[in-house]
Amino acid sequence: AVVTYGAINLKKLNAEKRIAYESDFYEIVSTVDELNNDFMKLDVATSEKLQAEILTDVYLKSRLLESGIGRFPVETGGNEQTANYVNFTAETSKRLMEKLARGESLTERDKEMLTSLYKTNQTIREELDTLAYEMTDADMEDYLKKVEKRGIEEICQILSDASAKRFGHSTEGSAKN
């Protein structure tokens, strides 16, 4: 009876873990989508006050994305490109907010950087949307088994690949199969 009870509790624990990771995954998807919307708003915003407000949102959502990714199971340090993209986005938005606070305007170079971040984020968004659309409960369970056995996180790899395109680095072969 104790063994049966333990097996039931283990199944419950595994189900709870899967649900928690699914929640984290969809939070990441949602945050990336919101960032995408913010970048589109920045592209058309003309007032410096509105630009500063949107950049504040970009900064906060970048940190939220960092937190969401941090809660996902990662056993390797192979997501450096992901961290680079998220941190670069947060720091760029912070730097531009400070620039606007000093009464300066965004330059063409600043706008080009934001466009580049938008394009990277768009790539990430498309990949995550596809994954979210196609993922089932069984896929999440399989994924968690892979993570536990091999230490690979597909979401970080997707983010890493997309940010590598932005930074011009190759990530092929960086994940262990």
Side-chain angles (χ1 to χ4, degrees):
V2 173
V3 173
T4 304
Y5 180 73
I8 292 170
N9 278 347
L10 184 59
K11 283 184 178 184
K12 181 181 176 187
L13 178 64
N14 287 337
E16 289 172 356
K17 185 168 46 168
R18 180 185 48 79
I19 290 167
Y21 289 142
E22 282 179 359
S23 175
D24 290 340
F25 171 74
Y26 287 111
E27 181 182 319
I28 291 167
V29 172
S30 176
T31 303
V32 168
D33 191 49
E34 290 171 11
L35 273 170
N36 210 58
N37 292 335
D38 287 340
F39 283 123
M40 289 189 297
K41 290 176 192 175
L42 270 171
D43 191 43
V44 296
T46 54
S47 87
E48 291 171 359
K49 181 180 179 198
L50 182 57
Q51 289 171 338
E53 289 173 8
I54 297 169
L55 285 167
T56 301
D57 284 346
V58 169
Y59 176 79
L60 294 173
K61 288 171 187 164
S62 296
R63 293 304 181 203
L64 183 62
L65 180 59
E66 180 180 46
S67 173
I69 292 169
R71 286 190 308 273
F72 229 78
V74 180
E75 295 180 14
T76 65
N79 63 347
E80 186 175 323
Q81 291 295 330
T82 304
N84 285 346
Y85 169 73
V86 172
N87 287 326
F88 187 76
T89 300
E91 292 308 312
T92 298
S93 61
K94 182 179 177 185
R95 181 181 55 80
L96 296 177
M97 283 186 310
E98 291 168 350
K99 183 176 192 174
L100 291 170
R102 291 189 304 267
E104 299 176 40
S105 298
L106 297 181
T107 64
E108 283 305 310
R109 185 171 185 219
D110 295 332
K111 292 176 184 177
E112 288 171 6
M113 178 57 62
L114 290 170
T115 299
S116 178
L117 290 172
Y118 165 72
K119 287 178 181 178
T120 301
N121 197 77
Q122 180 65 22
T123 301
I124 294 168
R125 178 182 173 228
E126 290 168 2
E127 293 293 328
L128 288 175
D129 284 349
T130 299
L131 187 60
Y133 179 74
E134 295 174 356
M135 186 172 65
T136 65
D137 287 349
D139 293 331
M140 180 58 81
E141 288 175 18
D142 289 344
Y143 165 75
L144 292 173
K145 288 175 186 173
K146 287 178 186 176
V147 169
E148 290 170 2
K149 288 181 182 176
R150 300 184 324 184
I152 297 174
E153 183 191 326
E154 293 174 23
I155 292 171
C156 280
Q157 189 61 48
I158 288 168
L159 295 172
S160 182
D161 290 347
S163 59
K165 289 177 188 174
R166 156 66 183 90
F167 290 102
H169 300 290
S170 173
T171 59
E172 289 184 25
S174 65
K176 298 175 188 172
N177 292 317

